[in-house]
Amino acid sequence: MSRLLRRLATALGFGALLLLGIALAWTLTRIAAFSNPAQEAALTTEARSAHYRETATALNVDVGAGLRHYDQTVLLQQRQPTDATSTATQEPPPTDAPPSSATPEAISLPKLLLPQAANAGKRMAGTRVPPQAPPLRREHSLVNIALLGSDDELTDDSFIRTDTMIVVSLNLDTGTIAMLSLPRDLFVYLPHGNMGRLNTAFGIGAMNGWDPGGGFGLLRQTLFYNFGLNVHYYARVNFSSFESIIDRLGGVDIAVDCAYKDYYPVNRGEGEPLEYRWRELPVGYYRFDGFDALWYARTRRYTDDFDRGRRHQQLLRAIWRQVRAQGLIATVPQLWRELIDLVDTDIPFDLALRLLPHLIDLELSEIENFTLLKIVHTTRWKTPDGAEVLLPNEEAVARLMQDFYTPPSPYQTALRGPSIGVYNGSGQENWDIVASERLRWSGYNAVALGASVDAGEYPSNVLRDYVGSEKGSPVPGLLEALNMTEDQVERAPAAKRDYDYAVVIGRDYESCTFGVLPINR
């Protein structure tokens, strides 16, 4: 890979491969040695669409049989008061958690040495030092891992920048996972005594020999001080192997709900000079090889780091689908010694073994996705030396962190709720898959069903409400997710129905609400 191509890869930061694709790294070298006819057949668009509908439906049922309505299930919680004055360095066990060999109590999570008190309100680097965030309430047995991607192998200054930071929280009580992407340009207090970008915390700690914990020790205290997050472990990877991992998986399938445009290298021969041309990626359902996956994760020309964090999580979900389909997660015990040679991590082997039962049967519907929203969670600001950064909006960020930290959330409960069938009346291939993935991202129980019932094309989207009840109706949320309006709703209550709601995607489908600019601007 040329230096320029490797720089494309640096922006990706897929530390999350350790948890969500923990068996990938060396198992893939085994599967590359033989041909898989089924995988080759799956390269056709028709076969991939069929495979998607067989394996990615919300409830993993026979789509042809339909889904019947059943009452929404909400898992109730008893909130415990937070002891804000405690100096304990380890999270207290939840009082309602039964003993288990797979609980954090048995694992004995590492202690967090609390950061020294800062001079909150004092001005540093042109802005005030924020007060320390209160510890977040923990009502379940959680294991939190910082998944980091850094560029140290590709830069000349030997300084580690973690341009991708994803905190993964595995809830051992509910069997769910929450993923939170943190933008690299968050300007926060670093407990070494100054304000700085969040993506520099690990590098400063590693360079200065931060005690305790080195690079991760300083990052861990930084996350706790600014967000109240107690992250127990970390996994950090470089990026040169990402393209080959995707290729050895046979590629990944991605539902692209926003159109993108950026420069794209058209000749990749070894030793050849790169030639760049404009490439447009319309809305659609695509099979990406490793290089295209990097391009999709990298582009920021018409968008920003917030949307890029969302796409990283999209790719992780697609990787996880492939990992599960190929049964790779169960091979961790045999691969661990080789894996730790590839990944910089402090995750102990016994913890990996204890987590395996929680990961083997993990469905995509059991993975929550959280990202910060610009304006809502951050404010743009320029440092005295002219650097563009993001200041966290403390109250909004605190609410987001608590939502992330205390599953189950509305994302899981919605997936147990009303069923939504998505039909394609747009005339564009696989747009029902794109729309269903958009709804599932927002936590709805959506299933892609192919062509519309009448096999005709629709000029505009239609949402058909077969329930007819306003109380607790998901209609407003569905309209928001798909960027539709109330006049596109048809209400036709029916006691006998295969789905509670049906969406027919029309030619005007446009659900890109992530701050991505139109590519013709």
Side-chain angles (χ1 to χ4, degrees):
M1 183 185 290
S2 71
R3 181 181 181 85
L4 186 53
L5 285 180
R6 290 183 309 197
R7 288 192 180 278
L8 282 174
T10 61
L12 186 53
F14 270 72
L17 289 174
L18 183 75
L19 184 64
L20 299 183
I22 196 169
L24 283 176
W26 286 93
T27 304
L28 294 175
T29 64
R30 276 54 170 185
I31 67 174
F34 59 87
S35 174
N36 186 338
Q39 192 175 75
E40 293 176 4
L43 293 178
T44 66
T45 301
E46 182 179 352
R48 287 192 293 110
S49 301
H51 176 71
Y52 177 90
R53 295 188 176 92
E54 290 172 1
T55 62
T57 57
L59 300 180
N60 291 323
V61 298
D62 180 3
V63 175
L67 298 176
R68 298 297 178 180
H69 174 71
Y70 55 99
D71 292 334
Q72 181 175 5
T73 301
V74 179
L75 185 60
L76 298 179
Q77 308 175 69
Q78 180 178 356
R79 294 191 178 276
Q80 301 293 333
T82 299
D83 183 3
T85 63
S86 172
T87 58
T89 57
Q90 181 175 351
E91 290 182 297
T95 58
D96 57 351
S100 168
S101 61
T103 64
E105 291 81 2
I107 293 172
S108 184
L109 296 174
K111 294 181 178 181
L112 169 66
L113 295 182
L114 302 181
Q116 294 182 351
N119 241 340
K122 179 181 178 180
R123 295 191 70 82
M124 289 184 176
T127 187
R128 70 175 181 87
V129 175
Q132 180 168 338
L136 299 173
R137 295 185 304 274
R138 183 175 76 93
E139 301 163 358
H140 298 270
S141 298
L142 307 178
V143 176
N144 301 326
I145 303 174
L147 306 169
L148 311 171
S150 60
D151 62 357
D152 48 298
E153 68 172 339
L154 304 173
T155 57
D156 299 325
D157 57 9
S158 300
F159 185 81
I160 298 172
R161 298 172 184 83
T162 54
D163 279 354
T164 293
M165 294 165 285
I166 301 176
V167 178
V168 170
S169 183
L170 174 59
N171 189 317
L172 302 181
D173 295 340
T174 63
T176 58
I177 279 181
M179 292 197 296
L180 169 69
S181 293
L182 296 170
R184 62 182 182 177
D185 290 333
L186 285 176
F187 203 64
V188 297
Y189 177 72
L190 307 180
H192 78 305
N194 205 347
M195 299 289 291
R197 277 189 170 93
L198 183 60
N199 71 332
T200 65
F202 193 102
I204 291 172
M207 182 175 62
N208 295 330
W210 183 259
D211 186 22
F216 175 60
L218 181 57
L219 176 60
R220 189 181 185 198
Q221 291 193 356
T222 301
L223 293 174
F224 188 78
Y225 182 93
N226 292 277
F227 308 118
L229 287 172
N230 184 3
V231 179
H232 306 116
Y233 301 99
Y234 81 98
R236 183 175 67 91
V237 297
N238 295 319
F239 316 109
S240 59
S241 62
F242 174 73
E243 184 177 346
S244 63
I245 288 175
I246 295 292
D247 288 337
R248 289 171 181 172
L249 272 175
V252 292
D253 294 328
I254 296 290
V256 176
D257 47 7
C258 296
Y260 296 95
K261 182 178 179 179
D262 207 340
Y263 284 110
Y264 183 86
V266 294
N267 55 329
R268 295 179 265 163
E270 190 67 29
E272 296 180 8
L274 288 174
E275 178 185 352
Y276 283 85
R277 297 178 185 172
W278 280 105
R279 181 197 187 184
E280 291 188 10
L281 182 69
V283 172
Y285 182 59
Y286 296 94
R287 166 61 58 91
F288 286 159
D289 63 11
F291 192 81
D292 285 338
L294 287 175
W295 184 90
Y296 180 67
R298 172 68 179 98
T299 182
R300 286 192 303 157
R301 182 166 292 273
Y302 288 87
T303 182
D304 53 28
D305 273 336
F306 298 92
D307 177 61
R308 191 169 65 163
R310 178 187 69 91
R311 282 178 274 129
H312 289 176
Q313 294 190 30
Q314 266 191 310
L315 285 163
L316 287 173
R317 290 168 68 93
I319 290 170
W320 182 247
R321 182 180 291 132
Q322 291 290 81
V323 168
R324 284 206 62 195
Q326 298 183 23
L328 301 178
I329 194 70
T331 63
V332 171
Q334 294 78 23
L335 301 176
W336 185 257
R337 288 186 181 276
E338 296 171 300
L339 186 62
I340 60 176
D341 288 337
L342 182 69
V343 180
D344 172 26
T345 182
D346 62 350
I347 298 175
F349 178 61
D350 67 324
L351 173 64
L353 293 181
R354 293 181 187 277
L355 295 184
L356 283 181
H358 300 278
L359 296 174
I360 288 176
D361 296 323
L362 182 70
E363 300 282 354
L364 286 176
S365 62
E366 296 168 330
I367 301 175
E368 295 183 276
N369 302 96
F370 292 88
T371 58
L372 275 67
L373 303 175
K374 58 184 175 183
I375 302 177
V376 175
H377 297 114
T378 64
T379 298
R380 292 181 61 184
W381 185 70
K382 184 176 291 188
T383 66
D385 59 4
E388 296 281 353
V389 296
L390 301 168
L391 295 176
N393 297 336
E394 293 163 15
E395 292 184 5
V397 169
R399 289 192 295 270
L400 176 68
M401 295 298 158
Q402 191 62 63
D403 288 344
F404 161 75
Y405 205 61
T406 313
S409 77
Y411 287 83
Q412 277 96 18
T413 57
L415 283 171
R416 300 182 179 97
S419 57
I420 303 160
V422 183
Y423 297 93
N424 190 2
S426 66
Q428 300 294 324
E429 191 174 31
N430 291 322
W431 273 18
D432 59 313
I433 294 179
V434 176
S436 67
E437 284 288 276
R438 176 63 183 88
L439 291 174
R440 288 164 63 80
W441 179 270
S442 295
Y444 293 103
N445 181 3
V447 181
L449 299 171
S452 58
V453 176
D454 57 13
E457 289 191 15
Y458 283 62
S460 185
N461 301 336
V462 175
L463 171 58
R464 294 182 177 136
D465 179 355
Y466 297 128
V467 176
S469 173
E470 294 185 5
K471 185 177 180 180
S473 172
V475 167
L478 296 174
L479 294 178
E480 180 180 3
L482 296 179
N483 200 19
M484 295 172 60
T485 58
E486 180 65 31
D487 59 6
Q488 293 174 293
V489 179
E490 296 179 358
R491 290 180 169 83
K496 185 177 180 180
R497 56 182 182 259
D498 289 331
Y499 297 92
D500 300 314
Y501 301 88
V503 178
V504 182
I505 299 303
R507 292 193 298 271
D508 68 345
Y509 173 71
E510 175 56 80
S511 67
C512 184
T513 57
F514 304 106
V516 180
L517 298 175
I519 61 176
N520 57 358
R521 288 184 59 169

